[in-house]
């Protein structure tokens, strides 16, 4: 999945215009969505690309149900919530997505964020008063997500195998923090190469800057895709 972390629709359109021969899976986040609304989603979809709408919903179950019902009508392929919203909220999200999907269309995958990677173990323990290790909290959230009937989680490639062991083999692990060997890390810390991520159990890798900031994004995309596919 290519993370389209652009602030304007123009930049997004300009970037995607280079990929007229590829059917992509792209991740659209809140920066783009809050400024351009459903129109940008419809436009990317009209190009034939698959969309992971990374909006990380977190509110009371009824509100999340209604929001998800509306978002599912956008014909997206994947969307997410914060597992911290709890099992009732996650079940409501799932119902909303099912109810909002048009007859005959595939129900979008619903995944959850466990602990944000920007949260340190110390902050989790002192601010959220969760008295366990960060890994235990991530696994606990993954189990709650699985028990709530969701399809998977966003996680580090390094957590994927422990999460699959604690849930099930087909539970999706969508993993950002990917860098081809030798690439600049940017602000990412615990990175994995595409082939290492696959080996560790990633279901999908999310790649932003190594493609969006490349001199030749199309070439960078295909190189990373080949590495992901074990070539
Ligand atoms: O540019 P880069 O490849 O680091 O982008 C990764 C994408 O994945 C960004 O959109 C970032 O916000 C997102 N992400 C992440 N770590 C998480 C969750 C999402 O890097 N735990």
């Amino acid at each position: 999945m290519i993370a389209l972390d652009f602030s304007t629709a123009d930049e997004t359109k300009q970037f995607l215009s280079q990929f007229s021969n590829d059917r992509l899976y792209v991740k659209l986040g809140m920066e783009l969505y809050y400024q351009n609304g459903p129109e940008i989603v419809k436009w990317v979809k009209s190009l034939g690309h698959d969309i992971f709408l990374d909006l990380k919903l977190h509110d009371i179950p009824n509100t999340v149900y209604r929001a998800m019902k509306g978002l599912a009508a956008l014909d997206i392929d994947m969307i997410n919530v914060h597992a911290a919203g709890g099992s009732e909220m996650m079940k409501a999200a799932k119902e909303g997505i099912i109810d909002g999907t048009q007859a005959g269309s595939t129900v979008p995958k619903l995944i959850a964020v466990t602990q944000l990677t920007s949260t340190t173990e110390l902050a989790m323990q002192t601010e959220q008063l969760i008295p366990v290790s960060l890994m235990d909290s991530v696994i606990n959230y993954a189990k709650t997500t699985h028990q709530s009937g969701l399809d998977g989680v966003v996680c580090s490639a390094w957590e994927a195998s422990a999460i699959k062991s604690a849930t099930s083999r087909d539970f999706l692990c969508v993993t950002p923090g990917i860098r081809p060997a030798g690439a600049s890390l940017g602000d990412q810390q615990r990175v994995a190469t595409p082939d290492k991520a696959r080996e560790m159990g990633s279901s999908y890798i999310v790649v932003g800057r190594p493609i969006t900031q490349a001199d030749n994004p199309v070439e960078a995309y295909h190189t990373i895709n080949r590495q992901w596919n074990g070539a």
Side-chain angles (χ1 to χ4, degrees):
M1 296 176 176
I2 304 180
L4 298 182
D5 293 323
F6 301 114
S7 48
T8 66
D10 280 352
E11 274 177 283
T12 309
K13 291 180 180 181
Q14 198 271 329
F15 176 79
L16 287 178
S17 68
Q18 304 168 89
F19 289 89
S20 51
N21 295 324
D22 294 289
R23 181 181 166 171
L24 307 174
Y25 207 141
V26 299
K27 181 173 88 69
L28 294 184
M30 57 173 88
E31 180 183 6
L32 204 54
Y33 190 80
Y34 284 151
Q35 288 170 85
N36 299 281
E39 289 314 312
I40 187 75
V41 177
K42 290 180 192 164
W43 184 80
V44 173
K45 199 71 204 178
S46 75
L47 297 177
H49 303 310
D50 287 343
I51 299 178
F52 167 24
L53 194 54
D54 180 19
L55 297 183
K56 302 186 179 73
L57 278 73
H58 187 174
D59 208 319
I60 58 170
N62 183 55
T63 301
V64 170
Y65 168 85
R66 293 163 77 104
M68 280 295 180
K69 195 171 166 184
L71 290 167
L74 292 175
D75 195 22
I76 48 167
D77 301 276
M78 185 180 285
I79 189 158
N80 58 356
V81 293
H82 268 285
S87 59
E88 290 308 315
M89 186 207 75
M90 288 196 272
K91 286 178 198 163
K94 181 84 187 179
E95 276 172 42
I97 285 193
I98 292 170
D99 291 352
T101 302
Q102 289 166 11
S105 296
T106 308
V107 177
K109 300 280 185 225
L110 176 61
I111 63 173
V113 174
T114 59
Q115 289 286 355
L116 291 171
T117 41
S118 51
T119 303
T120 62
E121 187 166 88
L122 181 66
M124 181 195 78
Q125 293 171 344
T126 58
E127 295 175 15
Q128 302 177 31
L129 294 185
I130 296 177
V132 298
S133 69
L134 194 64
M135 187 63 175
D136 283 354
S137 175
V138 167
I139 297 288
N140 179 55
Y141 274 139
K143 280 187 187 164
T144 311
T145 302
H146 183 238
Q147 286 156 7
S148 304
L150 273 61
D151 300 293
V153 288
V154 180
C155 64
S156 155
W158 300 87
E159 296 160 355
S161 86
I163 287 173
K164 288 193 175 208
S165 304
T167 57
S168 84
R169 280 177 58 85
D170 56 2
F171 196 58
L172 300 177
C173 289
V174 177
T175 66
I178 301 296
R179 290 293 177 268
S184 148
L185 297 191
D187 52 5
Q188 296 282 13
Q189 299 292 336
R190 294 183 71 218
V191 301
T193 57
D195 47 331
K196 183 75 183 164
R198 159 139 281 172
E199 194 186 304
M200 293 194 292
S202 294
S203 316
Y204 295 90
I205 52 172
V206 178
V207 184
R209 287 161 291 181
I211 295 172
T212 56
Q213 307 297 315
D215 291 337
N216 184 336
V218 177
E219 193 179 285
Y221 168 72
H222 286 288
T223 303
I224 290 173
N225 217 2
R226 275 195 300 275
Q227 291 174 10
W228 167 244
N229 287 307

